[in-house]
Amino acid sequence: VRWMMYWIVFSLFMATETFTDLLISWFPFYYEVKMAFVIWLLSPYTRGASLLYRRFVHPTLARREQDIDAFLVQARERGYDTMLRFGKRSLNLAATAAVQAATKSQGALAGRLRSFSMQDLRSLRDQS
């Protein structure tokens, strides 16, 4: 549980760090403070990640639990519908490609068969 709290808080920190690096990285000792914050999160003595998780992250997630569950159900349904749509589309493309390939090769195959049959007929005529 402790590691779960750490990784959740750390991932939130990394997501916000992307934007804060652009805005406030020019402050003196910014990178040193950032490193000290990560050590504070990780340290078993300070339990910074547990403190932040229990005080801020968990209450926010608990308040938004129904919204998150509804979003997950909606995402699952959309994902299923999207997979069906792309599956149908890819099967249609594969069927079209197969029909086109068969049509193109049928002409070439018919030409070869015709030339073979004409050669066979000529050879029969020459033999008789």
Side-chain angles (χ1 to χ4, degrees), residues 30-43:
Y30 170 73
Y31 292 103
E32 288 81 4
V33 170
K34 191 165 69 168
M35 186 181 300
F37 178 73
V38 171
I39 292 171
W40 178 77
L41 286 178
L42 187 62
S43 175

Side-chain angles (χ1 to χ4, degrees), residues 2-106:
R2 186 179 127 221
W3 285 109
M4 178 205 61
M5 289 180 200
Y6 168 76
W7 284 111
I8 290 172
V9 172
F10 184 73
S11 65
L12 291 172
F13 167 71
M14 292 297 291
T16 57
E17 176 197 22
T18 305
F19 301 109
T20 58
D21 274 354
L22 297 173
L23 300 174
I24 59 173
S25 62
W26 53 270
F27 276 125
F29 301 110
Y30 170 73
Y31 292 103
E32 288 81 4
V33 170
K34 191 165 69 168
M35 186 181 300
F37 178 73
V38 171
I39 292 171
W40 178 77
L41 286 178
L42 187 62
S43 175
Y45 299 109
T46 60
R47 296 184 182 174
S50 297
L51 178 76
L52 289 178
Y53 181 83
R54 289 188 177 134
R55 195 166 287 175
F56 299 107
V57 177
H58 183 70
T60 303
L61 291 176
R63 276 194 314 267
R64 306 259 183 190
E65 185 174 3
Q66 291 177 348
D67 296 336
I68 293 169
D69 290 341
F71 177 77
L72 289 175
V73 168
Q74 183 181 14
R76 184 183 313 142
E77 290 172 357
R78 283 186 183 172
Y80 181 73
D81 292 340
T82 302
M83 288 303 294
L84 282 178
R85 190 174 64 243
F86 282 131
K88 287 178 184 177
R89 191 178 294 170
S90 63
L91 285 176
N92 286 337
L93 287 173
T96 303
V99 168
Q100 287 176 353
T103 306
K104 287 179 184 177
S105 66
Q106 184 179 5

